[in-house]
Amino acid sequence: MAMNARLAKGMRTAGLILLLAGHICVHATDRPVERIDREWRERFVMGYFADIFRNRGQAQKKALAEFEATRQSPDTRARLRAAARHFMAMEDDADNCQVLDESLSEARAAGQAYPSELFDVAVAAMISASGKPCRGLLSQAEIETLARGLGDPARQYFVLEARVQTALRANRFNELIELAARQLDYAITDSQRAYSLLARAQAELNANPEINHADGLLQAALKLTDTQAFEALHLHVLGMLHRAAASAHQTAAARQYMQRALPGMLNAVPGERDSAFYLMLFARHYARHGEPQRALELLARSRAFGMNSKQVSMSRSRTLLETYAALGTHNAYDSGVQVVRHMESLLEDTAYFGPQSAKGARQAISTFFEKFGRYEAALAALKDANRASDAQQKVANEKARIELQEKLNVAAKDKENAELKSLAELQEARQRGWIIAFAVSACGVACAAGALTMAVRRGRRLAMVTADLKQRSAMLTAACHDLRQPVHALGMLTELGGDVQPSAPLFTDWLHSVRRSAASLAEMLDELMDLGRLDSGHYTPQLGDVSLPDVLHDVKLHFGNLARRKGLTLEVSPVQGHVLSDRALLRRILFNLVSNGIRYTDTGFVRVDAHLVANGLQLTVRDSGPGIPPEKLDDVFCDYVRLNPIKGGEGLGIGLPIVRRAAALLGHELTFASSPGEGTAVSLQLPFSEAGAPEIPAAAIDARPRSRSGHIALIEDDVDVRDAMAALLRSWGYTVRAASDAGSLLAESPAGPFTPDLLITDLHLVGSNGLDAIATVREALHAPDLPALLVTGDLDTALTAKAAIARAYLAHKPLAPSKLNALVKELMSAPSAAAPSPSLPPSAHTWREAFKKRKARH
């Protein structure tokens, strides 16, 4: 029997090893083989793609001639390559869809024999058909699969370009900005880098026209483009610089860029369609600055370009209306009416012009009639514009509803699967119990009864697990619902922000609403993280001397404005000295108690009192709220319980459970007293520490970020987070160099050498992680003691040990600006020998001081 058991166990182990090996082999075959395809790079990247940046008009003629010459050729590879070159040079035109579909069908049929050519045709077609995609285009997944199989990492640039075009069609400009930034990692030529910078700048102008983020990107692109070698790309950048300067009301700069670009545009060097758009942009500039006749001359010249494109025709019509309105003559009005009729005929094609295009066109028509005093016609056009706006909003809302429903369906399915799995385990256990009972029945009633008892107990345990799972699932559902509220509010407020004028009082109210929703979301996430850490059982309190004035000042700073806005008085007793506790947990306990008091109190006060007791201090948070009935006192410390859901709607119902767990972990006695109509008082017993010397009074501390100097290196692969954090750090007076990875950070820059005083990095980076990035930067700079701040939303308790080994301070997202400011200040300033900062690990002071000494020597 023993031998059979060992044999069975050995066979199971061998089977698992074989299964794991197969799993590894399968995933190994899925990994792209990174090899350099020099012939493809020379032909496609430096040939077809680069040609459109040199002179697109000439590239179109050459590509069309080659395409026509090879259409009847028996050489499949030659036909597909000619098609790829033709599509790359071709401009957006719906009439070309038939040609595109025919070539793509041939490329698909020959794809197994000519995968590289299929990739080229698919990417070129995606780029040329950006305005209105044709039916035969390959999907994003198909293009990515081809790129993985072919292997050259430079193809990832065009995989991302396909996603850029998809985002552009859907007006998802923030996504486009991120994708264009990622393209830079795979670009192998300066023209590619300039093209990606140009695309990102254009998206910035579309997404944030009032904020001039595009100028820096365009200036960088201008330096990468050679006027002679890449004239078309150079003209694109000049045209976009004109647009950026005009958006920033820099009239002189806008005119200078326009005059530099105008000759090349008139010769259609960037291509007919793009030249037509830029000429219309320049005409609009003349019309808005008192030169409508020059605007009409440019529009007349632009008629030779892009006449087959409905998009160009609509844009020209809108510019004509603005120009005629600037002229203000009877003839101008009559001509404008003809243009309006043409626009109405274009708008009948609702498949081509969606609600957004219709809204812009109707607004232009309304403005035209208003300029000439035809208010009835202007009002009618404005109503049409509003209807188009409503239709656009409905489309956006429906899309958001579908996306949210899909997410909820996935969550519900996961929950259902978990419950089914538990039920299946329970059923299996019960069946196993009956089988065991039947098998041992021959051995006697006693053995059968014992086996049956074991089976029943196992079934009961599984039933308890199932019930616990259902309870936790319900709690998670409630928590997700509460978290969804501020996220939903932020989404709507962000959408409304685009229509709010920055100078209007409405903008201030909108901004305050955004901040309230963001603060509410951050508070909920902090509470969930704290609860997870305390429940995991792996949190080790860092007991030490905690300055009570500092902690109580934080309470006043954080909740003072909130209490005033609600009409309450927040009173904090002046206290000197230190107690023995964990600063982070003590701060969270007080924050939760004061937050609860303010949330549930309508009038009166919330007060933090301090009283000396035997061997310590008693802190009491007292409020004048409605109090709690005696029968519900036991419920206040239960997870996800809110006694008044209306007043507690912004919380998760886990504030007091965190207080109870934290106090128990620290060994601080917690008492709770409340009566209906008399308010609530929660007291905490704190032991004195050995360091009882008085400190600076809290009232004398200025908590606002001061302007400071210092150099900070920032690594973050999310472009929005990186830009926001870099801007915030710069606003505090720091010099910041930001990059998406360690390699980019360490690369030479025009600003010269950079020796940071602090490294801030995200944990999860594309292709790497923050711990490796810290090691790489320290090694490259020969600075093993460089202070480092590791930021993450990961709650894995093992990260604390890993960060300690790497000598990095670990901070969890979301990281409030005030907390970031304090951490940066602590990590960059030399500690006091008498009073080390309690917010940093003990080892941080040692290696930070060593680094400053090393830097001083060099």
Side-chain angles (χ1 to χ4, degrees):
M1 289 291 290
M3 184 177 295
N4 290 338
R6 285 196 297 270
L7 180 60
K9 183 177 180 181
M11 292 177 66
R12 286 197 300 271
T13 304
L16 287 172
I17 293 173
L18 288 172
L19 182 61
L20 180 61
H23 179 76
I24 293 172
C25 291
V26 168
H27 282 274
T29 57
D30 287 342
R31 294 176 183 170
V33 181
E34 292 195 359
R35 59 176 181 273
I36 305 301
D37 189 341
R38 300 192 183 280
E39 186 277 333
W40 172 80
R41 291 187 175 196
E42 186 70 28
R43 172 176 50 81
F44 189 80
V45 182
M46 303 175 194
Y48 307 164
F49 193 59
D51 281 347
I52 65 175
F53 301 143
R54 297 185 177 101
N55 187 313
R56 190 158 196 164
Q58 295 178 5
Q60 286 172 347
K61 294 176 182 177
K62 290 167 58 177
L64 179 60
E66 181 181 344
F67 180 67
E68 294 294 344
T70 58
R71 291 190 76 173
Q72 305 302 323
S73 171
D75 188 342
T76 303
R77 177 172 277 110
R79 289 199 309 275
L80 294 177
R81 290 185 175 183
R85 184 177 186 180
H86 173 54
F87 297 154
M88 184 66 75
M90 181 178 72
E91 294 186 275
D92 177 22
D93 189 347
D95 294 338
N96 285 320
C97 273
Q98 182 179 353
V99 179
L100 278 169
D101 291 340
E102 290 175 359
S103 297
L104 284 167
S105 296
E106 181 182 7
R108 284 177 184 271
Q112 292 184 352
Y114 305 101
S116 181
E117 283 69 23
L118 175 59
F119 177 83
D120 296 349
V121 171
V123 169
M126 179 71 77
I127 294 173
S128 67
S130 61
K132 186 175 182 182
C134 304
R135 290 192 302 269
L137 295 178
L138 268 69
S139 67
Q140 179 68 39
E142 289 176 301
I143 293 176
E144 291 177 359
T145 301
L146 281 171
R148 282 200 302 270
L150 292 167
D152 192 327
R155 283 188 170 88
Q156 292 300 318
Y157 180 92
F158 296 97
V159 171
L160 291 171
E161 179 61 22
R163 295 178 60 186
V164 164
Q165 297 301 331
T166 302
L168 179 63
R169 286 195 293 272
N171 292 325
R172 298 196 301 265
F173 298 118
N174 289 327
E175 179 184 345
L176 196 157
I177 290 169
E178 180 184 354
L179 292 170
R182 288 174 57 191
Q183 278 185 306
L184 296 174
D185 295 334
Y186 299 100
I188 59 174
T189 66
D190 283 346
S191 60
Q192 285 180 290
R193 297 182 184 94
Y195 176 72
S196 297
L197 289 169
L198 176 67
R200 183 179 173 188
Q202 187 172 0
E204 288 279 7
L205 283 172
N206 289 329
N208 309 296
E210 301 299 328
I211 304 175
N212 197 8
H213 286 162
D215 187 71
L217 299 169
L218 292 169
Q219 294 294 346
L222 197 64
K223 294 177 182 178
L224 294 172
T225 57
D226 188 317
T227 310
Q228 301 300 323
F230 295 102
E231 184 182 3
L233 184 57
H234 190 77
L235 290 171
H236 270 295
V237 177
L238 288 175
M240 204 55 62
L241 277 167
H242 162 82
R243 181 184 168 190
S247 298
H249 307 292
Q250 299 170 356
T251 306
R255 180 156 297 208
Q256 180 185 8
Y257 290 128
M258 177 180 69
Q259 290 172 347
R260 289 171 61 184
L262 194 54
M265 299 298 182
L266 290 172
N267 290 320
V269 173
E272 290 192 358
R273 181 199 60 182
D274 290 336
S275 295
F277 276 120
Y278 285 119
L279 289 176
M280 286 180 273
L281 193 65
F282 299 159
R284 191 175 295 120
H285 176 83
Y286 281 131
R288 291 176 179 177
H289 293 86
E291 299 181 74
Q293 288 297 341
R294 296 194 67 177
L296 287 176
E297 292 172 8
L298 274 187
L299 288 170
R301 297 284 297 272
S302 73
R303 286 184 179 277
F305 307 143
M307 290 304 294
N308 294 328
S309 172
K310 293 181 179 180
Q311 190 177 10
V312 172
S313 182
M314 177 62 78
S315 182
R316 182 184 288 111
S317 298
R318 291 178 60 176
T319 308
L320 275 170
L321 283 186
E322 188 171 347
T323 306
Y324 288 142
L327 280 170
T329 64
H330 290 294
N331 290 336
Y333 175 76
D334 293 338
S335 299
V337 170
Q338 296 297 322
V339 173
V340 169
R341 291 172 183 167
H342 176 64
M343 293 172 68
E344 295 283 1
S345 65
L346 288 174
L347 290 174
E348 290 177 0
D349 187 355
T350 56
Y352 195 96
F353 294 105
Q356 184 175 7
S357 300
K359 175 186 175 183
R362 302 289 184 188
Q363 287 175 336
I365 294 172
S366 176
T367 302
F368 169 76
F369 283 123
E370 182 185 4
K371 290 287 186 181
F372 285 97
R374 307 301 175 91
Y375 296 111
E376 184 178 357
L379 181 60
L382 186 60
K383 288 181 178 178
D384 290 339
N386 289 336
R387 281 193 289 268
S389 179
D390 292 341
Q392 178 188 356
Q393 188 61 48
K394 287 179 181 178
V395 170
N397 290 343
E398 179 63 15
K399 183 178 179 182
R401 186 193 66 78
I402 292 173
E403 291 178 354
L404 179 60
Q405 188 61 51
E406 289 176 350
K407 293 178 181 178
L408 292 176
N409 289 342
V410 171
K413 192 66 177 177
D414 290 343
K415 175 184 173 183
E416 181 183 354
N417 289 339
E419 291 178 353
L420 289 174
K421 183 178 179 182
S422 297
L423 291 173
E425 290 177 353
L426 177 60
Q427 185 65 26
E428 183 182 354
R430 287 174 174 169
Q431 292 176 354
R432 227 176 9 248
W434 286 109
I435 292 171
I436 293 172
F438 180 76
V440 301
S441 60
C443 299
V445 176
C447 294
L452 181 59
T453 301
M454 290 177 59
V456 170
R457 286 177 179 174
R458 185 177 299 176
R460 287 175 179 171
R461 284 199 300 270
L462 285 170
M464 292 173 63
V465 169
T466 303
D468 183 63
L469 177 62
K470 289 183 178 179
Q471 182 184 8
R472 289 180 178 272
S473 178
M475 291 178 178
L476 181 60
T477 301
C480 290
H481 174 271
D482 293 328
L483 285 169
R484 201 178 297 127
Q485 301 309 314
V487 173
H488 180 60
L490 281 173
M492 292 189 294
L493 290 167
T494 305
E495 183 69 24
L496 287 172
D499 297 329
V500 177
Q501 296 298 326
S503 59
L506 183 60
F507 180 79
T508 303
D509 296 337
W510 168 82
L511 185 59
H512 287 163
S513 297
V514 170
R515 286 173 174 166
R516 281 198 304 271
S517 295
S520 177
L521 180 61
E523 183 181 356
M524 292 182 189
L525 290 172
D526 280 344
E527 288 183 344
L528 281 173
M529 289 165 60
D530 289 340
L531 188 64
R533 290 179 197 166
L534 294 173
D535 278 348
S536 67
H538 298 296
Y539 185 89
T540 302
Q542 303 295 319
L543 295 177
D545 298 334
V546 179
S547 170
L548 276 179
D550 287 351
V551 175
L552 295 178
H553 176 68
D554 285 350
V555 171
K556 290 184 66 176
L557 183 68
H558 195 86
F559 294 101
N561 288 333
L562 179 62
R564 281 192 294 273
R565 284 198 300 269
K566 199 172 178 183
L568 302 176
T569 301
L570 177 61
E571 303 172 9
V572 179
S573 299
V575 182
Q576 304 294 337
H578 296 71
V579 293
L580 182 64
S581 187
D582 179 301
R583 186 181 188 278
L585 284 184
L586 178 59
R587 187 174 182 271
R588 171 54 63 189
I589 290 172
L590 289 175
F591 270 40
N592 285 7
L593 292 176
V594 174
S595 174
N596 259 31
I598 293 175
R599 179 176 295 136
Y600 291 99
T601 301
D602 293 329
T603 59
F605 64 87
V606 175
R607 185 165 56 237
V608 182
D609 293 327
H611 302 283
L612 291 175
V613 294
N615 301 321
L617 186 84
Q618 177 176 290
L619 280 180
T620 302
V621 178
R622 194 184 310 275
D623 63 60
S624 58
I628 301 172
E631 66 274 11
K632 293 187 176 181
L633 285 177
D634 293 336
D635 296 337
V636 297
F637 290 110
C638 295
D639 295 346
Y640 304 102
V641 170
R642 294 176 297 184
L643 299 184
N644 190 336
I646 297 177
K647 292 184 178 180
E650 293 184 355
L652 294 174
I654 57 175
L656 290 179
I658 289 174
V659 168
R660 179 177 56 81
R661 287 173 170 84
L665 188 62
L666 293 171
H668 298 338
E669 183 182 349
L670 185 72
T671 56
F672 188 91
S674 182
S675 298
E678 297 181 6
T680 301
V682 184
S683 299
L684 193 68
Q685 301 281 349
L686 303 173
F688 282 131
S689 70
E690 295 180 0
E695 292 194 350
I696 302 173
I701 300 175
D702 184 4
R704 293 174 298 173
R706 295 181 175 86
S707 179
R708 292 182 287 276
S709 61
H711 296 77
I712 297 177
L714 172 63
I715 299 176
E716 169 62 67
D717 56 357
D718 186 304
V719 62
D720 292 332
V721 175
R722 182 172 69 240
D723 290 348
M725 185 177 288
L728 186 62
L729 292 169
R730 291 187 183 108
S731 72
W732 293 338
Y734 298 113
T735 301
V736 181
R737 175 178 289 182
S740 59
D741 55 52
S744 302
L745 179 74
L746 295 169
E748 287 295 328
S749 110
F754 184 83
T755 305
D757 301 293
L758 173 65
L759 171 62
I760 302 177
T761 178
D762 188 26
L763 174 64
H764 296 293
L765 303 171
V766 176
S768 181
N769 64 73
L771 294 170
D772 292 341
I774 292 171
T776 300
V777 172
R778 285 174 175 168
E779 182 178 0
L781 297 179
H782 304 289
D785 301 315
L786 172 66
L789 174 60
L790 185 66
V791 183
T792 180
D794 197 330
L795 299 181
D796 186 356
T797 53
L799 283 177
T800 304
K802 293 179 180 178
I805 294 172
R807 294 174 300 150
Y809 182 76
L810 182 67
H812 288 86
K813 298 177 183 178
L815 193 57
S818 58
K819 185 175 182 180
L820 175 64
N821 175 49
L823 287 174
V824 171
K825 183 179 178 182
E826 286 287 347
L827 287 165
M828 293 187 65
S829 61
S832 169
S837 169
S839 61
L840 299 178
S843 61
H845 305 291
T846 304
W847 54 257
R848 181 181 58 201
E849 191 64 18
F851 170 73
K852 287 187 173 290
K853 291 179 180 178
R854 178 185 291 270
K855 186 178 178 183
R857 287 200 300 270
H858 288 282

